[in-house]
Amino acid sequence: MKPVAILYDPVFKKHDLGAGHLECPGRLDAVMNALRELEDDPRYIQVDPEPASPEDISRIHSSKYVDWIRQNCEAGGGPYPALEGILVPETWEAASKAAGAVIQSCGMVWDKEWGGAFCAVRPPGHHALKSSAMGFCVFNNVAIGAKYLVDEKGAESVLIVDFDVHHGNGTQDAFYSDGKINYFSTHQFPHYPGTGTVHERGEGEGEGATLNAPLEAGCGDAEIMAAFEDKLVPWVAERQPEILLISAGFDAHVDDPLSDLRVTGEGYRRMAGILKQIAEDRCGGRWVITLEGGYNLQALGESARVFLEGMVG
Ligand SMILES: [Zn+2]
Protein backbone atom coordinates (compact mmCIF):
# COMPACT_ATOMS: atom_id res chain seq x y z
CA MET A 1 0.00 0.00 0.00
CA LYS A 2 1.30 3.45 -0.93
CA PRO A 3 1.22 5.99 1.92
CA VAL A 4 -1.39 8.71 2.28
CA ALA A 5 0.31 12.11 2.51
CA ILE A 6 -0.71 14.88 4.90
CA LEU A 7 0.66 18.21 3.64
CA TYR A 8 1.09 21.08 6.07
CA ASP A 9 3.44 24.03 6.58
CA PRO A 10 3.60 26.39 9.59
CA VAL A 11 3.52 29.38 7.20
CA PHE A 12 -0.19 28.65 6.68
CA LYS A 13 -0.72 30.02 10.20
CA LYS A 14 1.22 33.22 9.47
CA HIS A 15 -1.50 34.26 7.03
CA ASP A 16 -3.72 36.23 9.41
CA LEU A 17 -6.77 38.17 8.28
CA GLY A 18 -6.99 40.19 11.51
CA ALA A 19 -8.09 39.80 15.13
CA GLY A 20 -11.37 37.96 15.61
CA HIS A 21 -11.62 36.80 11.97
CA LEU A 22 -13.38 33.44 11.64
CA GLU A 23 -10.89 32.21 8.99
CA CYS A 24 -8.19 32.16 11.66
CA PRO A 25 -4.80 30.43 12.05
CA GLY A 26 -6.25 28.35 14.91
CA ARG A 27 -8.29 26.42 12.34
CA LEU A 28 -5.14 24.59 11.30
CA ASP A 29 -4.17 23.88 14.91
CA ALA A 30 -7.60 22.28 15.30
CA VAL A 31 -7.07 20.11 12.21
CA MET A 32 -3.45 19.14 12.92
CA ASN A 33 -4.17 18.38 16.60
CA ALA A 34 -7.03 16.12 15.55
CA LEU A 35 -4.74 14.35 13.06
CA ARG A 36 -1.89 14.00 15.59
CA GLU A 37 -2.96 10.48 16.55
CA LEU A 38 -2.23 9.43 12.95
CA GLU A 39 1.45 10.46 13.28
CA ASP A 40 2.59 6.99 14.34
CA ASP A 41 0.30 5.19 11.90
CA PRO A 42 2.49 3.77 9.12
CA ARG A 43 -0.24 4.33 6.53
CA TYR A 44 0.41 8.11 6.65
CA ILE A 45 3.39 10.34 5.86
CA GLN A 46 3.84 14.02 6.66
CA VAL A 47 5.02 16.17 3.74
CA ASP A 48 6.25 19.78 3.61
CA PRO A 49 4.66 21.32 0.51
CA GLU A 50 6.57 23.14 -2.21
CA PRO A 51 5.26 26.55 -3.32
CA ALA A 52 3.47 26.80 -6.64
CA SER A 53 5.27 29.00 -9.17
CA PRO A 54 3.53 32.16 -10.46
CA GLU A 55 3.21 30.31 -13.80
CA ASP A 56 1.39 27.41 -12.12
CA ILE A 57 -0.98 29.80 -10.35
CA SER A 58 -1.56 31.62 -13.64
CA ARG A 59 -3.14 28.50 -15.13
CA ILE A 60 -6.30 29.78 -13.36
CA HIS A 61 -5.60 33.39 -12.34
CA SER A 62 -4.53 36.37 -14.44
CA SER A 63 -0.78 37.14 -14.23
CA LYS A 64 -1.71 40.67 -13.29
CA TYR A 65 -3.64 39.46 -10.22
CA VAL A 66 -0.87 37.03 -9.18
CA ASP A 67 1.73 39.81 -9.46
CA TRP A 68 -0.51 42.20 -7.57
CA ILE A 69 -0.83 39.80 -4.60
CA ARG A 70 2.94 39.15 -4.54
CA GLN A 71 3.85 42.84 -4.80
CA ASN A 72 1.34 43.86 -2.12
CA CYS A 73 2.65 41.21 0.28
CA GLU A 74 6.27 42.26 -0.41
CA ALA A 75 5.26 45.85 0.32
CA GLY A 76 3.90 44.82 3.75
CA GLY A 77 0.28 43.98 2.91
CA GLY A 78 -2.76 45.95 4.04
CA PRO A 79 -6.55 45.93 3.88
CA TYR A 80 -8.08 43.91 1.02
CA PRO A 81 -11.89 44.19 1.02
CA ALA A 82 -12.33 41.38 -1.55
CA LEU A 83 -10.80 39.03 1.03
CA GLU A 84 -12.96 40.39 3.88
CA GLY A 85 -9.71 40.94 5.75
CA ILE A 86 -6.09 41.99 5.29
CA LEU A 87 -3.06 40.79 3.38
CA VAL A 88 0.03 40.26 5.54
CA PRO A 89 3.60 39.85 4.21
CA GLU A 90 3.39 36.05 4.69
CA THR A 91 0.14 35.75 2.70
CA TRP A 92 2.08 35.29 -0.54
CA GLU A 93 4.14 32.36 0.76
CA ALA A 94 1.09 30.77 2.44
CA ALA A 95 -1.14 31.13 -0.63
CA SER A 96 1.51 29.88 -3.06
CA LYS A 97 2.27 26.89 -0.80
CA ALA A 98 -1.46 26.12 -0.43
CA ALA A 99 -1.74 25.92 -4.22
CA GLY A 100 1.61 24.10 -4.38
CA ALA A 101 0.42 21.46 -1.90
CA VAL A 102 -2.52 20.63 -4.15
CA ILE A 103 -0.35 20.54 -7.31
CA GLN A 104 2.20 18.27 -5.61
CA SER A 105 -0.59 16.00 -4.33
CA CYS A 106 -2.24 15.82 -7.74
CA GLY A 107 1.06 14.85 -9.36
CA MET A 108 2.04 12.22 -6.78
CA VAL A 109 -1.44 10.71 -6.61
CA TRP A 110 -1.80 10.69 -10.40
CA ASP A 111 1.54 8.84 -10.65
CA LYS A 112 0.40 6.47 -7.86
CA GLU A 113 3.33 7.37 -5.64
CA TRP A 114 0.85 8.24 -2.89
CA GLY A 115 -2.32 6.38 -2.01
CA GLY A 116 -4.14 9.68 -1.42
CA ALA A 117 -3.44 13.13 -0.01
CA PHE A 118 -4.88 15.57 2.51
CA CYS A 119 -3.82 19.21 2.08
CA ALA A 120 -4.22 20.97 5.45
CA VAL A 121 -3.89 24.44 3.96
CA ARG A 122 -4.88 28.10 4.38
CA PRO A 123 -6.01 30.30 2.72
CA PRO A 124 -8.89 28.25 1.27
CA GLY A 125 -9.62 28.56 -2.44
CA HIS A 126 -13.00 27.75 -3.95
CA HIS A 127 -14.44 31.29 -4.11
CA ALA A 128 -11.30 32.86 -5.65
CA LEU A 129 -11.94 34.32 -9.11
CA LYS A 130 -9.67 34.74 -12.11
CA SER A 131 -8.62 38.27 -11.16
CA SER A 132 -9.74 38.70 -7.58
CA ALA A 133 -9.81 37.19 -4.12
CA MET A 134 -13.25 36.46 -2.74
CA GLY A 135 -14.70 35.26 0.56
CA PHE A 136 -11.47 34.41 2.49
CA CYS A 137 -9.95 32.78 -0.66
CA VAL A 138 -6.81 34.09 -2.41
CA PHE A 139 -5.87 31.47 -5.05
CA ASN A 140 -8.20 28.68 -6.15
CA ASN A 141 -6.11 25.74 -4.94
CA VAL A 142 -8.32 22.92 -6.20
CA ALA A 143 -8.81 24.57 -9.61
CA ILE A 144 -5.06 25.09 -10.00
CA GLY A 145 -4.48 21.40 -9.21
CA ALA A 146 -7.16 20.24 -11.64
CA LYS A 147 -5.80 22.36 -14.49
CA TYR A 148 -2.27 21.13 -13.76
CA LEU A 149 -3.53 17.54 -14.21
CA VAL A 150 -5.00 18.35 -17.62
CA ASP A 151 -2.04 20.46 -18.80
CA GLU A 152 0.86 18.42 -17.42
CA LYS A 153 -0.45 14.88 -16.92
CA GLY A 154 -2.79 14.66 -19.88
CA ALA A 155 -5.87 13.99 -17.75
CA GLU A 156 -9.02 13.74 -19.86
CA SER A 157 -11.58 13.80 -17.03
CA VAL A 158 -11.05 15.22 -13.54
CA LEU A 159 -13.82 15.17 -10.92
CA ILE A 160 -14.07 17.88 -8.27
CA VAL A 161 -16.54 17.24 -5.43
CA ASP A 162 -17.14 20.28 -3.18
CA PHE A 163 -19.19 19.79 -0.01
CA ASP A 164 -18.34 23.10 1.66
CA VAL A 165 -21.59 24.75 2.83
CA HIS A 166 -20.93 27.61 0.38
CA HIS A 167 -21.12 27.12 -3.37
CA GLY A 168 -17.66 27.09 -4.97
CA ASN A 169 -18.45 29.81 -7.48
CA GLY A 170 -14.78 30.36 -8.37
CA THR A 171 -14.24 26.70 -9.25
CA GLN A 172 -17.49 26.50 -11.21
CA ASP A 173 -16.55 29.68 -13.14
CA ALA A 174 -13.06 28.42 -13.99
CA PHE A 175 -14.38 25.29 -15.73
CA TYR A 176 -17.89 26.29 -16.84
CA SER A 177 -17.10 25.75 -20.51
CA ASP A 178 -14.36 23.13 -19.99
CA GLY A 179 -15.52 19.57 -20.65
CA LYS A 180 -12.51 17.92 -18.99
CA ILE A 181 -12.96 19.19 -15.45
CA ASN A 182 -16.25 18.19 -13.83
CA TYR A 183 -17.65 20.06 -10.85
CA PHE A 184 -20.23 18.74 -8.34
CA SER A 185 -21.30 20.80 -5.33
CA THR A 186 -23.60 20.36 -2.35
CA HIS A 187 -24.22 23.66 -0.52
CA GLN A 188 -26.82 25.59 1.39
CA PHE A 189 -29.07 27.61 -0.93
CA PRO A 190 -30.02 30.37 -0.82
CA HIS A 191 -26.80 31.39 0.91
CA TYR A 192 -23.47 33.10 0.19
CA PRO A 193 -22.28 33.57 -2.60
CA GLY A 194 -25.71 33.23 -4.26
CA THR A 195 -24.74 30.87 -7.12
CA GLY A 196 -25.21 27.11 -7.44
CA THR A 197 -28.71 26.47 -8.73
CA VAL A 198 -29.67 23.22 -10.48
CA HIS A 199 -29.93 25.21 -13.72
CA GLU A 200 -26.19 25.95 -13.78
CA ARG A 201 -24.98 22.92 -15.78
CA GLY A 202 -22.06 24.33 -17.82
CA GLU A 203 -22.00 25.57 -21.39
CA GLY A 204 -20.38 24.74 -24.72
CA GLU A 205 -17.80 21.98 -24.27
CA GLY A 206 -18.65 22.06 -20.58
CA GLU A 207 -22.38 21.41 -21.02
CA GLY A 208 -23.32 18.81 -18.38
CA ALA A 209 -19.90 18.94 -16.65
CA THR A 210 -21.30 21.05 -13.79
CA LEU A 211 -23.85 19.60 -11.37
CA ASN A 212 -25.22 21.48 -8.37
CA ALA A 213 -27.22 19.98 -5.51
CA PRO A 214 -28.47 22.95 -3.46
CA LEU A 215 -29.85 22.17 0.01
CA GLU A 216 -32.30 24.24 2.03
CA ALA A 217 -31.46 25.53 5.51
CA GLY A 218 -32.10 22.80 8.06
CA CYS A 219 -31.01 19.89 5.85
CA GLY A 220 -28.61 17.42 7.41
CA ASP A 221 -27.01 14.00 6.97
CA ALA A 222 -30.01 12.37 5.26
CA GLU A 223 -30.39 15.08 2.62
CA ILE A 224 -26.69 15.42 1.81
CA MET A 225 -26.37 11.62 1.54
CA ALA A 226 -29.37 11.56 -0.81
CA ALA A 227 -27.65 14.17 -3.00
CA PHE A 228 -24.51 12.04 -3.12
CA GLU A 229 -26.37 8.79 -3.82
CA ASP A 230 -29.07 10.01 -6.21
CA LYS A 231 -27.27 12.83 -8.05
CA LEU A 232 -23.50 12.42 -7.76
CA VAL A 233 -23.20 8.65 -8.22
CA PRO A 234 -25.22 8.33 -11.49
CA TRP A 235 -23.60 11.46 -12.94
CA VAL A 236 -20.08 10.19 -12.17
CA ALA A 237 -20.83 7.09 -14.22
CA GLU A 238 -21.43 9.37 -17.24
CA ARG A 239 -18.40 11.60 -16.69
CA GLN A 240 -15.84 8.75 -16.31
CA PRO A 241 -13.34 10.61 -14.11
CA GLU A 242 -9.73 9.48 -13.75
CA ILE A 243 -9.05 11.24 -10.44
CA LEU A 244 -11.17 12.67 -7.60
CA LEU A 245 -10.35 16.05 -6.05
CA ILE A 246 -12.34 17.01 -2.95
CA SER A 247 -12.95 20.61 -1.83
CA ALA A 248 -13.51 19.68 1.79
CA GLY A 249 -15.15 22.48 3.73
CA PHE A 250 -16.55 21.33 7.06
CA ASP A 251 -18.82 24.35 7.57
CA ALA A 252 -22.03 22.41 6.81
CA HIS A 253 -21.57 20.97 10.33
CA VAL A 254 -24.51 21.47 12.71
CA ASP A 255 -22.27 23.47 15.09
CA ASP A 256 -20.73 25.76 12.45
CA PRO A 257 -21.42 29.51 12.90
CA LEU A 258 -21.65 30.22 9.13
CA SER A 259 -24.25 27.60 8.24
CA ASP A 260 -27.81 26.47 8.77
CA LEU A 261 -27.15 22.93 7.54
CA ARG A 262 -26.99 20.20 10.17
CA VAL A 263 -24.37 17.69 9.03
CA THR A 264 -22.76 15.63 11.84
CA GLY A 265 -19.52 13.71 12.17
CA GLU A 266 -21.45 10.59 11.22
CA GLY A 267 -22.56 12.38 8.03
CA TYR A 268 -18.95 13.14 7.08
CA ARG A 269 -18.03 9.51 7.74
CA ARG A 270 -20.79 8.32 5.41
CA MET A 271 -19.89 10.89 2.73
CA ALA A 272 -16.30 9.62 2.85
CA GLY A 273 -17.62 6.08 2.33
CA ILE A 274 -19.31 7.06 -0.95
CA LEU A 275 -16.36 9.13 -2.17
CA LYS A 276 -13.90 6.34 -1.35
CA GLN A 277 -16.07 3.97 -3.41
CA ILE A 278 -16.12 6.43 -6.33
CA ALA A 279 -12.34 6.82 -6.12
CA GLU A 280 -11.79 3.06 -6.07
CA ASP A 281 -14.40 2.05 -8.65
CA ARG A 282 -13.93 4.91 -11.11
CA CYS A 283 -10.64 6.70 -10.48
CA GLY A 284 -8.05 3.95 -9.96
CA GLY A 285 -7.99 4.77 -6.24
CA ARG A 286 -6.75 8.33 -6.88
CA TRP A 287 -8.00 11.02 -4.48
CA VAL A 288 -6.80 14.37 -3.16
CA ILE A 289 -8.53 16.32 -0.37
CA THR A 290 -7.98 20.04 0.11
CA LEU A 291 -9.31 22.02 3.06
CA GLU A 292 -11.80 24.79 2.36
CA GLY A 293 -14.03 26.21 5.16
CA GLY A 294 -15.04 25.07 8.67
CA TYR A 295 -15.29 27.64 11.48
CA ASN A 296 -16.26 25.82 14.67
CA LEU A 297 -12.79 24.69 15.70
CA GLN A 298 -13.81 21.54 17.54
CA ALA A 299 -16.25 20.44 14.82
CA LEU A 300 -13.64 21.22 12.15
CA GLY A 301 -10.90 19.09 13.73
CA GLU A 302 -13.16 16.12 14.46
CA SER A 303 -14.87 16.25 11.05
CA ALA A 304 -11.55 16.44 9.19
CA ARG A 305 -10.22 13.41 11.10
CA VAL A 306 -13.39 11.35 10.63
CA PHE A 307 -13.53 12.21 6.94
CA LEU A 308 -9.86 11.42 6.26
CA GLU A 309 -10.07 8.13 8.16
CA GLY A 310 -13.19 7.29 6.15
CA MET A 311 -11.32 7.86 2.89
CA VAL A 312 -8.36 5.74 4.02
CA GLY A 313 -10.74 3.09 5.41
ZN1 LIG B 1 -17.55 27.71 3.24
Side-chain angles (χ1 to χ4, degrees):
M1 284 288 284
K2 296 286 187 177
V4 170
I6 297 172
L7 292 89
Y8 169 75
D9 191 295
V11 79
F12 296 142
K13 292 200 302 173
K14 298 258 175 73
H15 166 67
D16 191 337
L17 294 164
H21 203 292
L22 281 174
E23 205 289 275
C24 60
R27 296 180 59 238
L28 283 188
D29 287 331
V31 170
M32 295 310 289
N33 286 338
L35 299 185
R36 186 155 292 153
E37 63 196 70
L38 306 179
E39 267 175 17
D40 299 326
D41 185 327
R43 293 176 299 170
Y44 298 89
I45 53 170
Q46 308 277 332
V47 174
D48 300 331
E50 300 290 329
S53 66
E55 294 71 29
D56 278 332
I57 299 167
S58 301
R59 293 181 203 279
I60 294 296
H61 298 284
S62 68
S63 305
K64 196 172 160 194
Y65 170 60
V66 177
D67 288 346
W68 186 87
I69 293 286
R70 183 173 49 77
Q71 286 161 5
N72 267 271
C73 291
E74 283 172 3
Y80 186 21
L83 195 56
E84 301 175 41
I86 56 173
L87 293 176
V88 295
E90 293 86 355
T91 296
W92 167 257
E93 188 185 347
S96 56
K97 277 193 174 167
V102 179
I103 291 176
Q104 193 176 353
S105 296
C106 286
M108 293 296 273
V109 165
W110 180 267
D111 291 339
K112 303 214 168 179
E113 296 293 328
W114 294 347
F118 183 95
C119 301
V121 299
R122 292 180 61 249
H126 72 156
H127 296 305
L129 302 169
K130 182 174 182 182
S131 299
S132 176
M134 183 172 169
F136 318 162
C137 301
V138 176
F139 298 141
N140 195 322
N141 307 315
V142 79
I144 290 166
K147 194 72 169 70
Y148 164 84
L149 284 166
V150 170
D151 289 353
E152 300 296 326
K153 296 291 182 182
E156 291 287 334
S157 184
V158 176
L159 171 61
I160 300 173
V161 170
D162 182 339
F163 56 73
D164 190 281
V165 80
H166 304 99
H167 181 242
N169 59 303
T171 311
Q172 175 174 294
D173 263 16
F175 306 123
Y176 206 60
S177 54
D178 178 328
K180 290 187 176 178
I181 298 169
N182 305 283
Y183 180 67
F184 174 83
S185 175
T186 53
H187 46 272
Q188 184 178 331
F189 189 91
H191 199 35
Y192 181 90
T195 50
T197 71
V198 294
H199 306 294
E200 296 160 30
R201 294 299 314 269
E203 63 188 13
E205 297 270 299
E207 180 81 49
T210 293
L211 183 60
N212 288 304
L215 300 167
E216 288 176 6
C219 287
D221 294 351
E223 291 83 3
I224 208 162
M225 282 301 291
F228 271 48
E229 285 169 348
D230 302 340
K231 295 183 175 162
L232 173 63
V233 168
W235 178 72
V236 163
E238 286 169 32
R239 304 309 301 179
Q240 302 195 340
E242 300 157 291
I243 184 167
L244 169 62
L245 311 186
I246 301 169
S247 264
F250 295 99
D251 43 8
H253 193 281
V254 60
D255 293 334
D256 196 276
L258 290 188
S259 144
D260 302 306
L261 295 191
R262 306 184 58 79
V263 178
T264 68
E266 173 62 12
Y268 289 116
R269 191 188 64 75
R270 291 170 63 197
M271 288 155 66
I274 292 198
L275 294 173
K276 177 182 169 65
Q277 202 69 45
I278 288 173
E280 285 179 355
D281 292 351
R282 302 270 172 197
C283 306
R286 296 173 171 129
W287 54 267
V288 173
I289 302 166
T290 186
L291 185 65
E292 300 283 0
Y295 304 99
N296 175 304
L297 298 186
Q298 187 171 356
L300 170 63
E302 285 175 11
S303 302
R305 181 182 56 75
V306 163
F307 184 75
L308 176 58
E309 287 186 318
M311 288 301 293
V312 174

